[in-house]
Amino acid sequence: MKDDQYRRQAEDWTERQYADAASYLAHRADLVVSLGPRLERGDEVLDLACGDGGLGEQLLARGLRYRGVDVTPEMAAEAERRLGERAPIETGDLNDYEPPARVDATTVFRAIYYARDRAAFFAHVAGFTEKKLVFDLNPRQYRVADVVADLRGAGFGRIELRPFFVPQTVALPGLAVAVAKALERSGPLARLALRLRFTYLVAASR
Ligand SMILES: C[S@@+](CC[C@H](N)C(=O)[O-])C[C@H]1O[C@@H](n2cnc3c(N)ncnc32)[C@H](O)[C@@H]1O
């Protein structure tokens, strides 16, 4: 997607991109907390390429602190509008942004492809991230083994992958969401589904 499209689409990004934003982003936030080393109340999450800060709502509701950064000024403005005084939002490029102090977790959702040099980006994030880096990964777009090798090279020795099966563009009834979440832990069946659709969530820590 071209940058000017993000400028045009900033308004109501979350509401238009996610068929059931509350359910989808709640599941994403739960995994940000629980996959890999657990986040505790008061921990700070830096969300790179934060868009309009939709994930921020969910993380703040879990007692975490949230800092959002996006390269598109219109997106950052929407995130500010959404989160107000509750979270600092900045305009910046994920390739070189440095937070004012170390953060407990860094997240990058639907934006890992904006890293100019993936290995260098992971090393940059490792320099200011205490507990873990969490991002989503499409295994049909990237070789998982290559990404894991880049993470290890940046000092992230512990890497957890979790299939993420709550759909982005289809709103499912509650029971179907529960089934989708259960299937994420189904091993070979989950890996088969990932050959056709869906993504992994990756948590990388030391
Ligand atoms: C597909 S959207 C994802 C937004 C949000 N993370 C989400 O999951 O809904 C990609 C976002 O990346 C931002 N972006 C693109 N290149 C970037 C860069 N180099 N640094 C920071 N943000 C960037 C865009 O402005 C856009 O908000």
Side-chain angles (χ1 to χ4, degrees):
M1 194 179 285
K2 288 220 178 94
D3 284 357
D4 60 339
Q5 284 176 289
Y6 288 127
R7 280 201 282 272
R8 284 201 307 273
Q9 293 189 6
E11 197 177 335
D12 295 329
W13 167 265
T14 288
E15 288 67 26
R16 285 186 288 105
Q17 282 281 308
Y18 300 96
D20 181 349
S23 164
Y24 183 98
L25 294 175
H27 187 41
R28 186 191 272 177
D30 284 341
L31 288 174
V32 168
V33 171
S34 65
L35 193 64
R38 192 173 184 83
L39 295 183
E40 307 296 337
R41 293 180 78 80
D43 279 352
E44 184 175 20
V45 178
L46 167 64
D47 190 18
L48 295 174
C50 66
D52 68 348
L55 178 62
E57 288 282 8
Q58 294 285 342
L59 294 175
L60 289 166
R62 285 158 179 74
L64 299 166
R65 290 177 294 140
Y66 179 83
R67 170 177 292 274
V69 175
D70 199 283
V71 81
T72 306
E74 290 80 355
M75 281 289 193
E78 287 297 316
E80 267 182 350
R81 195 174 60 80
R82 178 186 293 277
L83 301 172
E85 303 269 285
R86 294 180 292 156
I89 303 295
E90 291 171 82
T91 301
D93 188 321
L94 60 80
N95 290 286
D96 48 30
Y97 175 82
E98 297 248 3
R102 292 170 72 78
V103 295
D104 297 292
T106 299
T107 57
V108 189
F109 285 107
R110 297 176 59 202
I112 200 69
Y113 28 83
Y114 294 119
R116 280 192 297 271
D117 173 337
R118 196 175 58 217
F121 171 69
F122 289 156
H124 175 65
V125 169
F128 55 71
T129 303
E130 288 286 340
K131 289 188 179 176
K132 60 182 171 182
L133 163 66
V134 184
F135 59 99
D136 55 352
L137 186 68
N138 178 346
R140 298 168 305 287
Q141 192 175 8
Y142 295 100
R143 277 193 58 211
V144 173
D146 292 346
V147 176
V148 167
D150 285 349
L151 287 166
R152 290 199 197 286
F156 291 112
R158 181 179 160 197
I159 295 151
E160 302 198 25
L161 287 105
R162 168 68 66 81
F164 188 97
F165 288 169
V166 174
Q168 184 192 325
T169 53
V170 181
L172 298 178
L175 183 61
V177 171
V179 170
K181 289 181 189 172
L183 284 173
E184 291 173 353
R185 295 168 176 274
S186 65
L189 194 57
R191 284 193 290 280
L192 188 65
L194 280 158
R195 291 169 71 164
L196 305 171
R197 254 195 90 170
F198 303 112
T199 56
Y200 281 111
L201 244 65
V202 183
S205 56
R206 289 180 188 85

